[in-house]
Amino acid sequence: MGKRVPRQKSAFVLSNTHRTLGPLLPALFESPVMGVALLDSQFRFRAINAALAAMNALPVSNHIGKKLRYVLGSSAPLVEDMVQQVLETGEPIFNRELTAKLPGREDVGRWIETYLPVRDVENRVTEVAAFVVELTGVRNLEDSLNH
């Protein structure tokens, strides 16, 4: 009898068991509007697309290998808490709204973020995939219309 694999609590888990992320990630990383990043257990950027780098107001090259605190400044703990929760529980976090002032930006920004666990061949969560859509313009328009 084969090795028993623990039952997944959620269907929304990325697994790189058979290198299946290979074809999916390049397509996601090419999105001009969806920010995508891969973060490790030390909160370092392992990969990031141009859309998210632009949202962070830094080039892609200034992200790779850097910790969230380098990029997000004092707003990093908000994201680190979510990444840590996914790493510890293996459960995804969907559609969290984040409002923050990033070091590379003049104004406060607003984003909707989703964090998914990435599992290795032994079913351990080793990385977290972050998916980010910026809402700043939409929220600012809503605020001005409400006033």
Side-chain angles (χ1 to χ4, degrees):
M1 192 176 283
K3 182 179 172 184
R4 186 176 167 277
V5 177
R7 185 174 174 270
Q8 300 295 324
K9 294 181 181 179
S10 172
F12 299 101
V13 174
L14 296 177
S15 176
N16 207 15
T17 304
H18 301 289
R19 300 282 182 221
T20 55
L21 291 180
L24 174 63
L25 286 179
L28 290 171
F29 271 76
E30 291 174 15
S31 172
V33 294
M34 169 79 71
V36 181
L38 197 58
L39 301 161
D40 68 16
S41 62
Q42 302 300 309
F43 310 118
R44 291 181 302 233
F45 286 90
R46 289 299 173 205
I48 187 168
N49 72 347
L52 185 54
M55 290 179 213
N56 293 338
L58 287 171
V60 168
S61 61
N62 285 24
H63 286 80
I64 305 304
K66 301 288 193 308
K67 290 191 174 202
L68 282 168
R69 289 180 187 260
Y70 171 81
V71 174
L72 304 181
S74 63
S75 301
L78 300 169
V79 175
E80 289 172 347
D81 287 347
M82 289 185 277
V83 171
Q84 188 64 41
Q85 182 180 333
V86 173
L87 287 166
E88 288 175 0
T89 68
E91 289 294 311
I93 296 175
F94 295 104
N95 303 323
R96 286 285 173 87
E97 192 162 337
L98 175 69
T99 301
K101 168 68 175 83
L102 302 184
R105 294 174 60 136
E106 291 184 23
D107 298 318
V108 170
R110 296 175 180 177
W111 300 268
I112 192 87
E113 303 184 349
T114 292
Y115 299 90
L116 300 178
V118 178
R119 296 180 184 275
D120 66 10
V121 294
E122 295 175 358
N123 207 32
R124 294 176 302 199
V125 178
T126 57
E127 295 174 313
V128 174
F131 300 91
V132 181
V133 175
E134 184 155 4
L135 303 175
T136 305
V138 173
R139 293 293 190 249
N140 289 347
L141 178 60
E142 287 174 354
D143 290 348
S144 65
L145 291 174
N146 288 332
H147 292 328

